[in-house]
Amino acid sequence: MINDIVSFLGQNIEMIYILILSVFVGVEVIGKVPAVLHTPLMSGANAIHGVVIVGAIIVMLNTPVDNILALALGFVAVVLGTLNVIGGFAVTDRMLEMFKKK
Amino acid sequence: MEIKYILDIVYLIGSVTFVIGLKMLSHPDTARKGNLYAAFGMTLAIAGTILWYNHPGGYTSREPLKIILILAAIGIGTFAGWLTANKVQMTKMPELVSLFNGMGGACAALIGIMEYEHNIGNTGALATIIAGLIIGSVSFSGSIIAFLKLNETMKKPIRLPSYNILNTAVMIALVAFGAYIVYAQPEHMLLPILLLAAALVYGVLFVIPIGGADMPVVISLLNSFTGLAAAFGGFLYQNQVMLTGGILVGSAGTILTLAMCKAMNRPLSNVIFGAFGAGNASG
């Protein structure tokens, strides 16, 4: 068990570097955000985690074409992921559009 | 020239646009452009995956039926997402953010369910899958409750007797259950599906006691949860754009959540454990 985990970490060490550095980038990048931008920033970040759709597409590409259940689940996952991405970016844009007129 | 490298470069561009997009989103003058940059990077990452992704083990295939299904799913999601985002009144924007956040969480949870069986025997990968499954499900059901609260379908906070203790116990049980699955690696899908159900219940329990006025903070918190779930998916597939996108949102989202609490002059623990307005907490 412990061996498995250590070798998993070792095999993924570059991903772990990216992970840790990204944590710091995420913290720094939004450093001093004014309170008026809290909601649009939240909405923009919401759209960005829609990148999970890439995983849903990968699942579908790796599923044998005769596995109907898996394809159906994958289809639902891709629809949900797209809603997250498109809805997220569109809502953010609408919020910021209004922001500009003020 | 290997096709794999093209996709790697596409993912690199995607990751960079996410960082720049977030940076620009935190300044009033550049915010709108930043959002568009990130959207551009996302489009590249999605198109690149459909065109060039290949599993190193050779599982990937591109039968026309699958490609049609993927494009149809994207088409449906785009149409519904675009329509909803543009038709709804301006005042209802925060609840939409919550709804879309929930969709992302559900997507991550479904990926976990679908990948479980393929990874039995690989403890590290299973741990990643189970973590993504739990966090994605909590984020989904929690976001739906937050949506219903902002929507005023669900008006009053629902506080079960000693809900703080109850919720903490459920959370610990959930983590223990997940750890057991990673340890025992049952081949039957029953336990992973039960775990999914338990995580959904926890998401509901987590959000129902919290008052409507605190919903933006809760949505921001669930938003960073979904980011984490996406990052676990990135880890599983060794996919850099999912990892950076997810983790950026996870960490930036956490900082943003704290900033929102600060703007309201309340610590996060007050929001979650409901110390605020102890008078109406009797129930």
Side-chain angles (χ1 to χ4, degrees):
Chain A
M1 182 87 180
I2 300 289
N3 269 344
D4 287 350
I5 292 174
V6 170
S7 53
F8 180 77
L9 293 181
Q11 283 155 11
N12 290 288
I13 199 73
E14 284 177 25
M15 297 303 272
I16 296 171
Y17 272 96
I18 298 178
L19 188 149
I20 293 173
L21 294 175
S22 298
V23 169
F24 286 98
V25 172
V27 170
E28 290 302 321
V29 100
I30 63 154
K32 293 181 202 112
V33 53
V36 276
L37 278 179
H38 282 170
T39 312
L41 180 59
M42 173 173 87
S43 179
N46 170 48
I48 288 174
H49 70 49
V51 75
V52 69
I53 188 192
V54 167
I57 295 172
I58 290 177
V59 171
M60 282 198 84
L61 289 175
N62 289 343
T63 302
V65 78
D66 55 357
N67 188 342
I68 297 181
L69 176 67
L71 279 186
L73 282 177
F75 183 85
V76 175
V78 175
V79 171
L80 295 175
T82 314
L83 277 170
N84 187 176
V85 170
I86 301 289
F89 283 121
V91 163
T92 313
D93 193 60
R94 261 189 87 189
M95 282 182 194
L96 291 168
E97 185 184 14
M98 189 184 71
F99 198 76
K100 212 173 181 182
K101 281 176 193 157
K102 276 186 186 171
Chain B
M1 189 175 66
E2 273 195 62
I3 279 187
K4 181 186 179 304
Y5 296 147
I6 303 179
L7 187 59
D8 285 341
I9 294 167
V10 165
Y11 284 165
L12 176 66
I13 298 171
S15 301
V16 173
T17 62
F18 293 165
V19 176
I20 296 176
L22 274 179
K23 178 91 192 155
M24 291 172 81
L25 268 166
S26 46
H27 296 282
D29 301 338
T30 53
R32 201 169 174 199
K33 243 186 194 165
N35 183 49
L36 293 179
Y37 284 173
F40 170 73
M42 183 73 74
T43 314
L44 278 187
I46 292 172
T49 306
I50 297 175
L51 288 171
W52 297 309
Y53 171 83
N54 272 303
H55 189 280
Y59 300 115
T60 311
S61 66
R62 290 186 166 73
E63 290 91 351
L65 172 70
K66 273 177 10 184
I67 300 297
I68 290 170
L69 280 177
I70 293 173
L71 293 178
I74 293 178
I76 294 171
T78 304
F79 180 72
W82 185 263
L83 208 67
T84 323
N86 283 295
K87 291 279 173 199
V88 167
Q89 292 166 10
M90 218 58 208
T91 49
K92 301 207 163 177
M93 291 284 135
E95 54 193 74
L96 269 192
V97 175
S98 185
L99 188 65
F100 293 137
N101 180 43
M103 301 298 108
C107 181
L110 280 178
I111 292 173
I113 285 289
M114 286 183 286
E115 285 293 345
Y116 178 81
E117 277 182 315
H118 307 303
N119 288 281
I120 291 173
N122 182 346
T123 307
L126 271 194
T128 316
I129 289 170
I130 293 296
L133 177 69
I134 295 180
I135 300 176
S137 313
V138 169
S139 181
F140 168 66
S141 60
S143 299
I144 297 302
I145 300 293
F147 168 76
L148 292 176
K149 282 191 177 236
L150 283 177
N151 206 344
E152 296 202 329
T153 310
M154 199 180 259
K155 279 183 184 152
K156 280 189 179 163
I158 300 167
R159 287 175 177 153
L160 302 171
S162 17
Y163 63 94
N164 280 333
I165 298 167
L166 179 77
N167 282 4
T168 312
V170 173
M171 188 184 74
I172 292 169
L174 197 58
V175 172
F177 189 13
Y180 171 76
I181 292 181
V182 174
Y183 173 74
Q185 314 199 352
E187 284 186 20
H188 201 277
M189 281 306 289
L190 179 70
L191 287 186
I193 287 173
L194 277 178
L195 179 72
L196 175 102
L200 290 175
V201 171
Y202 177 69
V204 173
L205 290 175
F206 180 70
V207 180
I208 51 169
I210 303 173
D214 283 333
M215 276 308 120
V217 176
V218 175
I219 295 169
S220 176
L221 189 65
L222 292 171
N223 193 28
S224 53
F225 282 6
T226 314
L228 274 185
F232 280 117
F235 214 97
L236 178 67
Y237 295 118
Q238 303 255 330
N239 184 305
Q240 293 88 348
V241 79
M242 280 176 80
L243 184 71
T244 46
I247 277 294
L248 276 173
V249 176
S251 66
T254 307
I255 298 299
L256 179 62
T257 309
L258 295 173
M260 288 166 97
C261 288
K262 208 174 169 193
M264 289 167 40
N265 248 328
R266 298 179 53 198
L268 182 60
S269 56
N270 271 15
V271 174
I272 293 173
F273 297 112
F276 182 72
N280 57 26
S282 59

